[in-house]
Amino acid sequence: MSWHRASRPVITDHWLRSIQALVLVVLVVNIVNAHAPGLQKNPSKKYNGAGTTYNLRNIIIGRCYHYMSLHPGVGDKNCSGIWQELVDAVQRKDPCKITEEDYKHLALMAVQTIPCDKTLLWSRTNDLVHRYTKATENFITLEDTFLGFVFNGLMWCGKTFRPGMNFKCCPAWNECDHNSILSFWKMASAAFARASCGSVNVMLNGSADGDIARKESILRTVEIPTMDPTRVSEVNVWVIDDIQGEDKNSCNSKSLLELQHYIEEHKLKYSCIDNYRPVQALQCAENPNHAACNRCNYQ
Ligand code: APR
């Protein structure tokens, strides 16, 4: 009897102490997690963009060798090393916390000399500008350089707590400021603009609505500020209307004058041409019967 009386309170105390200890452990873990966001696991985080491109490694290494075969002057690039630098830049990291700095080793491995007077920048003319550089080979866009060629159109991001790439989803272009894709293209665009010299041309879309170049465009936020005014003699803007489209902007419209001011603020010399004839000739090759393609009409 006395054993029962005596033993019951002993068991209850033990349980109580165990429960108190458990509560304490849970509290400590919660406090540690709250103050160390990097330790918070969120394995099922969903992003709005497509996942990493399937066969990314093979595509990157294949394109790398392909570029070297097309342009032997680029030198001997370490294709599998470049792939590894990409993996190291993003794996085990939050895909919304990747900076241009994370790609600095990759940038060093991809370094390339850009001949003076060949750089062609663009905004809102993705399709036309690349049809033009394919047709003439007189100018080089970012996508014609080693880095741009190898990574163009691909998607990738890592997983915050695990090695390897996330093939399910990645942040979309504007989903977060420092996502793996946007930071890569900012790094690549800055490297291209920094390496440019002599006369730099820019192809813009005279038929597009709104600003001729978006305020947050890479042209405005990265490339214009990064060009070196001591090496770039002028920035020559080509305003090209769609051959079938409206003439919404030309060299003397407000949007262009504002862009001129912005370029000159960066100590770069500015000039502008409406419907630069060699580009219009390409448009006319595809629309030979359009009125603007009458030899007496086009500038
Ligand atoms: N969502 C998805 N993709 C986008 C978005 C967006 N909100 N904004 C830009 N992009 C991608 C698209 O692939 C688009 O075709 O960037 C491309 C270019 O955007 P633009 O506004 O047309 O131009 P810009 O931002 O100035 O970038 C082009 O940067 O890539 C370099 O040297 C290149 O001079 C060129 C400039």
Side-chain angles (χ1 to χ4, degrees):
M1 193 69 181
S2 62
W3 179 85
H4 282 287
R5 271 194 201 135
S7 62
R8 260 188 189 153
V10 169
I11 291 170
T12 310
D13 281 352
H14 177 71
W15 284 352
L16 261 176
R17 274 200 294 276
S18 303
I19 289 166
Q20 278 170 344
L22 195 68
V23 168
L24 198 67
V25 168
V26 169
L27 268 174
V28 168
V29 167
N30 278 343
I31 289 168
V32 167
N33 274 347
H35 289 87
L39 295 176
Q40 283 174 0
K41 298 200 173 188
N42 190 2
S44 58
K45 174 131 190 167
K46 293 273 184 288
Y47 298 105
N48 296 328
T52 299
T53 308
Y54 287 114
N55 303 308
L56 184 69
R57 178 179 182 279
N58 290 341
I59 295 171
I60 287 175
I61 294 178
R63 285 188 185 177
C64 174
Y65 284 112
H66 188 197
Y67 193 90
M68 285 194 286
S69 73
L70 294 174
H71 307 275
V74 75
D76 195 17
K77 299 289 180 207
N78 175 354
C79 298
S80 45
I82 283 171
W83 159 252
Q84 195 52 51
E85 289 299 349
L86 180 77
V87 173
D88 291 348
V90 299
Q91 77 172 345
R92 294 183 189 279
K93 292 183 195 165
D94 182 334
C96 277
K97 289 186 182 157
I98 305 296
T99 63
E100 290 169 57
E101 180 77 6
D102 287 319
Y103 289 113
K104 75 173 180 214
H105 296 297
L106 175 52
L108 281 174
M109 293 186 88
V111 89
Q112 181 176 16
T113 306
I114 308 297
C116 288
D117 306 322
K118 295 289 183 189
T119 293
L120 179 54
L121 306 178
W122 55 272
S123 220
R124 308 182 74 179
T125 51
N126 194 352
D127 185 51
L128 182 63
V129 77
H130 294 116
R131 274 192 285 132
Y132 181 66
T133 56
K134 266 203 187 76
T136 69
E137 298 189 350
N138 279 343
F139 296 99
I140 303 169
T141 66
L142 172 61
E143 295 71 20
D144 301 312
T145 67
F146 176 76
L147 258 190
F149 179 91
V150 170
F151 291 93
N152 197 13
L154 303 179
M155 193 72 178
W156 65 87
C157 66
K159 293 175 278 192
T160 311
F161 297 103
R162 279 169 289 162
M165 299 293 187
N166 183 346
F167 288 92
K168 288 201 181 120
C169 58
C170 290
W173 185 267
N174 275 342
E175 194 169 337
C176 45
D177 284 349
H178 300 290
N179 72 66
S180 40
I181 297 296
L182 188 54
S183 293
F184 172 87
W185 286 108
K186 282 184 172 175
M187 172 280 290
S189 303
F192 185 46
R194 202 174 297 116
S196 297
C197 52
S199 174
V200 167
N201 294 290
V202 184
M203 190 191 289
L204 301 178
N205 185 346
S207 297
D209 284 321
D211 278 336
I212 193 87
R214 298 172 302 124
K215 292 274 185 299
E216 66 283 6
S217 66
I218 289 192
L219 175 70
R220 288 183 68 116
T221 59
V222 177
E223 293 177 326
I224 292 171
T226 308
M227 279 187 276
D228 178 352
T230 65
R231 299 184 66 233
V232 171
S233 53
E234 70 167 345
V235 176
N236 185 25
V237 171
W238 309 340
V239 184
I240 313 286
D241 296 330
D242 295 341
I243 201 86
Q244 316 264 22
E246 274 182 63
D247 175 16
K248 292 192 175 154
N249 272 300
S250 47
C251 287
N252 57 10
S253 59
K254 195 169 158 237
S255 187
L256 265 300
L257 296 178
E258 194 276 325
L259 183 66
Q260 170 178 7
H261 181 66
Y262 183 73
I263 289 173
E264 288 173 347
E265 259 180 1
H266 288 87
K267 313 228 171 328
L268 295 158
K269 202 164 156 259
Y270 169 92
S271 62
C272 183
I273 304 177
D274 278 316
N275 291 318
Y276 178 58
R277 188 174 159 166
V279 178
Q280 200 170 54
L282 173 74
Q283 294 173 310
C284 287
E286 289 155 7
N287 297 271
N289 297 324
H290 195 276
C293 301
N294 180 321
R295 280 188 61 197
C296 302
N297 284 352
Y298 77 90
Q299 297 160 359

